[in-house]
Structure formats: structure tokens, C-alpha cells
Amino acid sequence: GIQVEQSPPDLILQEGANSTLRCNFSDSVNNLQWFHQNPWGQLINLFYIPSGTKQNGRLSATTVATERYSLLYISSSQTTDSGVYFCAVEAGAGGTSYGKLTFGQGTILTVHP
Amino acid sequence: DSGVTQTPKHLITATGQRVTLRCSPRSGDLSVYWYQQSLDQGLQFLIQYYNGEERAKGNILERFSAQQFPDLHSELNLSSLELGDSALYFCASSVVGIGEWAGADTQYFGPGTRLTVL
């Protein structure tokens, strides 16, 4: 099956710093989503981004499907950004699929005040 | 709030017991997915239902089963529970999730049910 690797595994920042999280995947994808899992365990959708670039406030994401990677940018980080960031993909390139997401192992982000 | 609801939030039970987790998808979503998050395995896909029919299976144990009802809510049944079944169980829903370009829509996750098996 498709492999998803996220880096770095851990990231510690001071409030106000910027960061880039990376997601590499081993095959073509129909779906790529970024999630933030907060300290209470809730998985929050950040982006649906199988290709291209999107921005939402201090967060933006870029997926280069041909090179099989995606980047999540966090600018001016805040303590509330702390948690685990997951990349999840669904393998496929236009064929029949069923929406099964394969998750990476996540990047644990800690933002200190 | 994703619009996906799951009950109960927490469940504590003993080995050998059986439990049922419930999920209500977002209004209008036809597909429901179940995922398991454990410390050793990470987040793993278990099973998907579309409009009442099973459509895809992942790493789901034979002791586990699920169904989707006519009102589109879903239940995940876990039986003969073992210590290793302790995990956070998520339900997700999406509008479609089937057929060509099936993956091409967002999955929204519920708050999860934290299962502890003692």
C-alpha cells in the first residue's frame, strides 16, 4: 500500500516563529488532507489539497503531486497551534476508489510562549 | 464542530466484553468511515459504508463489525475485547466516497470515542 512519511517528527518553537512541515507519499493520490489533532484528541480539518496551493489565515499548504510531497506552512505560531499535525492520503490516479485515508505518523508541534 | 457526532465520548470496560460505538454523519453525507488510533499502530482505517452498504475494509479484526442504518448513522461493534483494543475510535463522513474520483472529497472527523479495556 501507499507509504506516507512526515517530517520532522517533533518540532519545538517559540511563539511568533514560522515553520514548515513536510509530507512525502509513495504513489499518486486522489485525496490529501492535513489535520491538526489538538490536546483533547479532536482531529480538525485544515486543508483538502491533492494538488496546488491553499491559504487559510496563518496556515497555508502546497502539494506538488508530480513530485509526491506536500508542505504545510505555519506562520507567526501561537501556543494554540500546539498538537499533532497529520497528513493523510488516499492512493489512486482516477480509478475506482473508496476514500480510504492512510495517515502519516504525524509531527508533534510544541509552541512555547 | 465538524458536524459528525459520536457517542459515547469515553468507555471503560473489561476484557472479554462487547461494546457498541455510535456515529451520526454530517447532514447529507452518505459515506461513513471508521478509524482506530492507538499508540503503537497510529491512525488506521477500519471500514467504510456508503448509503448502507459496506464498501471497503481495512485492518479490521474479525471480532469487530459495523453497519450503517437507513437513517445513515453507523455503529461499530467490538466484541471479546482485549487490552490491545484500547484506543481512540474515530468516525468520519463525506458526501460521496465511492466510484471514480471517490476520494475526491473531504472527510470530516467526529470527536472520537476513547475506549479503555481493563
Side-chain angles (χ1 to χ4, degrees):
Chain A
I2 193 167
Q3 304 297 311
V4 183
E5 292 185 4
Q6 291 187 241
S7 59
D10 297 276
L11 189 56
I12 300 174
L13 301 173
Q14 287 296 127
E15 206 166 27
N18 302 328
S19 60
T20 301
L21 283 58
R22 187 176 179 104
C23 172
N24 291 331
F25 42 96
S26 61
D27 207 342
S28 301
V29 298
N30 282 333
N31 181 354
L32 188 148
Q33 291 184 235
W34 283 97
F35 295 90
H36 174 215
Q37 187 167 37
N38 63 24
W40 295 270
Q42 175 95 41
L43 274 171
I44 300 164
N45 286 284
L46 298 177
F47 294 103
Y48 166 79
I49 188 165
S51 63
T53 297
K54 290 186 178 179
Q55 180 156 8
N56 184 3
R58 296 182 297 103
L59 302 181
S60 63
T62 295
T63 298
V64 184
T66 53
E67 297 187 21
R68 298 182 182 167
Y69 73 89
S70 183
L71 302 174
L72 177 68
Y73 305 96
I74 305 174
S75 65
S76 304
S77 58
Q78 301 175 357
T79 56
T80 52
D81 294 331
S82 296
V84 185
Y85 289 79
F86 288 102
C87 168
V89 304
E90 188 221 349
T96 301
S97 58
Y98 298 99
K100 166 191 170 182
L101 288 178
T102 299
F103 283 77
Q105 289 303 304
T107 291
I108 302 173
L109 176 64
T110 304
V111 181
H112 291 300
Chain B
D1 185 355
S2 67
V4 180
T5 60
Q6 290 187 246
T7 57
K9 289 185 179 179
H10 302 276
L11 200 47
I12 301 174
T13 188
T15 54
Q17 295 299 304
R18 172 190 170 94
V19 297
T20 297
L21 312 183
R22 182 188 169 102
C23 167
S24 292
R26 296 187 318 150
S27 177
D29 285 0
L30 299 178
S31 276
V32 168
Y33 312 80
W34 287 96
Y35 291 84
Q36 178 195 58
Q37 184 177 30
S38 61
L39 285 175
D40 54 345
Q41 297 292 327
L43 266 157
Q44 289 195 102
F45 168 76
L46 295 178
I47 196 164
Q48 181 208 3
Y49 280 81
Y50 174 78
N51 204 20
E53 294 188 14
E54 180 186 308
R55 287 297 178 175
K57 264 188 174 180
N59 299 321
I60 188 166
L61 300 172
E62 286 190 9
R63 300 183 286 109
F64 296 0
S65 64
Q67 54 185 326
Q68 186 180 27
F69 294 87
D71 67 352
L72 300 177
H73 91 271
S74 179
E75 293 181 355
L76 179 67
N77 301 296
L78 314 177
S79 61
S80 302
L81 285 167
E82 302 175 358
L83 296 178
D85 298 327
S86 295
L88 191 51
Y89 291 85
F90 287 104
C91 168
S93 73
S94 69
V95 173
V96 182
I98 185 171
E100 192 170 342
W101 296 111
D105 66 329
T106 304
Q107 290 186 28
Y108 293 91
F109 280 68
T113 293
R114 188 171 296 279
L115 173 66
T116 303
V117 182
L118 301 175

